[in-house]
Amino acid sequence: MILPSDDAMPDLIVIGAGMAGLVAANRAVRADASVLVLEAGRTIGGMLRPATLGGVRIDIGAEAFATRGAALDPLLAELGLDADVVEPNQHGSWGYSDGTAYPLPKGGMLGIPADPLDDDARAILGEEAAQRAAADLELGPEAGMNAEHLADFVAARMGQIVVDRLVTPVCRGVYSLDARELDHRVLVPGLECRLQGEGSLQGAIRAMRRGGAPGAAVRGIAGGMHRIPERLAEAIRARGGEIRFGDPVRRIVPQDDTWRVELMSGGSFEARNVIATVPVDGAIAPGTDVEALTAGPVAETVALRLRAPELDVAPCGTGILVGEPAGEVAAKAATHASAKWPWIAEALEEGEHIVRFSYPPREGEGMPLTAGLDNDALRTRALTDLALLFGIEVQPESVCAMTRQTWHMPAPGARLGRSQEVAGLRVWAEDQPGLALAGTWIDGTGLANVVPGAERAALRHLGR
């Protein structure tokens, strides 16, 4: 194999060393292609990034993957990580709104209850709203079919209180969007079709849960999800691939039968094929609104390792998703990581816990609302949210370690209008010889979307 270097043209240049770029590069080197990966930053993995809290290594980014479609199974087996796949503890998630925390009903999807009349749902909704939600059984399959977004769809079937108390916390906490901004047809493909067959939304939810639909199940990796990109990078280098850091790509330019990849530093490379896992000039159709295509929320994740024996009983399950009104709570979600993942609990001292908080952007601004806080003020903010959400007072001296990470989140694939935005770009890219697109900006968020998309991009260049 010809190794990528300044004077040898690789078969493939991959732009970006996030999960999409690493998956594509790995697939190419396994087919004996010479590969050069160009990463603008200094780290691999994108949203799969580790952090260390007092000697314990955790995920500061994505901590789990959806099991739908078994998209990751072959890759994990190839990397020798299949034996390390773990299930989260089944303590359940909680919601929070209007000053109250409550366990979310089990067996639902996106907060939509599979049985609005079970005890948990009744306790959250109240008897009148629970009965209204149960009337979904009597509406007929046509109700809600003209809804433009998830909030109207659920409200038409089960009432507004289900949206406010159950769906909104999940949408805010998981997708960083309001339910009015999410396209349910994209978020849960086949939901409307299943509703037609089952005759009700709750029946559709039960059927899709049995079939392993999106949101139905997640798993993690013992030791952290960040081990996946680390193994990928090792595999790429072991087969002669190269990963270069710290010099962003300025643009790509088509040549007669190659592509010239120009760097911000002034240097350049040529290759027969290019995979762009991030939007760069030349990899986007002329006239494309790049800002609209790539704009997503900016958030900050804050993780605390603290001494708090009161958390031993997992008082709010594996964590809390915050709805509206949030009151004095600033976080949009809090994950009790040591209650969710046994491997984290086993790494801690008795009475210690790790809790992760996710903070959204300020209204109308591009930075998270915690961006201006120094570490002391941030710790105070997180402990305030811990008290409000979990009902537990922890003093600052009980915090053993803290870490923070700002994320420029990709635009969610289920955001209203998103599928139309990328459709034209996909068609354009298909007509560009030697160019393929992959990554969250084109394939959507979540490894169940990213990994197959990156595999397809690599296979296109391999002629398969």
Side-chain angles (χ1 to χ4, degrees), residues 82-412:
D82 49 332
D84 295 333
V85 173
V86 292
E87 303 276 352
N89 283 324
Q90 299 302 307
H91 297 309
S93 297
W94 285 47
Y96 179 95
S97 65
D98 204 18
T100 304
Y102 43 84
L104 294 173
K106 292 182 173 62
M109 184 184 298
L110 300 176
I112 305 168
D115 181 5
L117 295 180
D118 74 12
D119 291 341
D120 285 343
R122 285 178 190 263
I124 297 165
L125 301 172
E127 187 62 30
E128 183 177 347
Q131 292 292 340
R132 163 63 185 90
D136 159 63
L137 290 169
E138 304 166 7
L139 293 179
E142 68 281 354
M145 284 299 170
N146 294 325
E148 294 185 2
H149 49 67
L150 177 63
D152 278 358
F153 176 66
V154 176
R157 300 293 317 185
M158 292 188 169
Q160 188 61 40
I161 293 179
V162 170
V163 176
D164 295 341
R165 300 281 286 172
L166 298 178
V167 176
T168 294
V170 174
C171 293
R172 290 187 75 245
V174 176
Y175 300 100
S176 298
L177 290 174
D178 188 87
R180 292 168 295 185
E181 300 174 275
L182 288 168
D183 187 338
H184 52 289
R185 298 172 181 87
V186 176
L187 191 59
V188 189
L191 177 59
E192 288 188 339
C193 182
R194 190 59 66 94
L195 191 156
Q196 293 285 336
E198 299 292 330
S200 69
L201 179 55
Q202 56 194 283
I205 296 296
R206 289 192 293 269
M208 297 189 80
R209 289 280 302 194
R210 289 194 299 269
V218 298
R219 295 191 178 114
I221 301 293
M225 291 284 290
H226 56 269
R227 295 179 61 204
I228 302 176
E230 290 171 354
R231 287 285 180 91
L232 281 167
E234 291 170 5
I236 291 165
R237 291 177 175 129
R239 290 179 176 268
E242 184 177 355
I243 304 173
R244 296 195 178 195
F245 296 94
D247 197 351
V249 172
R250 183 167 67 91
R251 65 174 179 170
I252 62 173
V253 182
Q255 308 297 297
D256 289 340
D257 58 356
T258 64
W259 289 84
R260 186 174 72 250
V261 179
E262 300 178 353
L263 307 178
M264 290 294 187
S265 63
S268 65
F269 294 95
E270 285 198 22
R272 299 173 186 87
N273 301 290
V274 172
I275 296 176
T277 70
V278 293
V280 296
D281 188 16
I284 300 175
T288 300
D289 186 341
V290 178
E291 184 175 351
L293 185 69
T294 59
V298 181
E300 183 164 36
T301 300
V302 179
L304 302 180
R305 178 177 177 175
L306 43 84
R307 292 184 295 273
E310 304 94 325
L311 290 171
D312 289 351
V313 296
C316 294
T318 57
I320 300 180
L321 304 170
V322 181
E324 295 285 2
E328 298 178 12
V329 176
K332 68 183 181 68
T335 300
H336 188 173
S338 48
K340 186 171 185 176
W341 301 109
W343 65 268
I344 293 181
E346 291 165 4
L348 301 175
E349 301 293 332
E350 184 177 355
E352 287 188 344
H353 292 268
I354 289 177
V355 181
R356 295 185 357 158
F357 296 90
S358 297
Y359 289 96
R362 292 188 184 93
E363 189 71 30
E365 297 186 24
M367 294 302 292
L369 55 82
T370 50
L373 302 181
D374 62 23
N375 285 343
D376 288 342
L378 182 64
R379 180 184 59 191
T380 298
R381 177 67 263 175
L383 291 179
T384 298
D385 285 339
L386 181 74
L388 291 168
L389 294 172
F390 290 81
I392 293 172
E393 298 281 349
V394 175
Q395 298 305 310
E397 56 268 24
S398 293
V399 177
C400 309
M402 182 182 78
T403 189
R404 64 196 298 179
Q405 175 69 49
T406 298
W407 298 106
H408 292 266
M409 309 287 284

Side-chain angles (χ1 to χ4, degrees), residues 19 23 26-27 72-79 228 232 451:
M19 273 297 294
V23 167
N26 178 62
R27 187 57 54 226
L72 257 66
D73 290 357
L75 178 63
L76 295 176
E78 176 187 312
L79 298 175
I228 302 176
L232 281 167
V451 170

Side-chain angles (χ1 to χ4, degrees), residues 274-277 283 425-426 428-429 435-439 441-443 453 457 460:
V274 172
I275 296 176
T277 70
L425 182 56
R426 288 184 184 278
W428 173 85
L435 174 66
L437 308 180
W441 72 295
I442 190 74
D443 293 319
R460 177 185 179 190

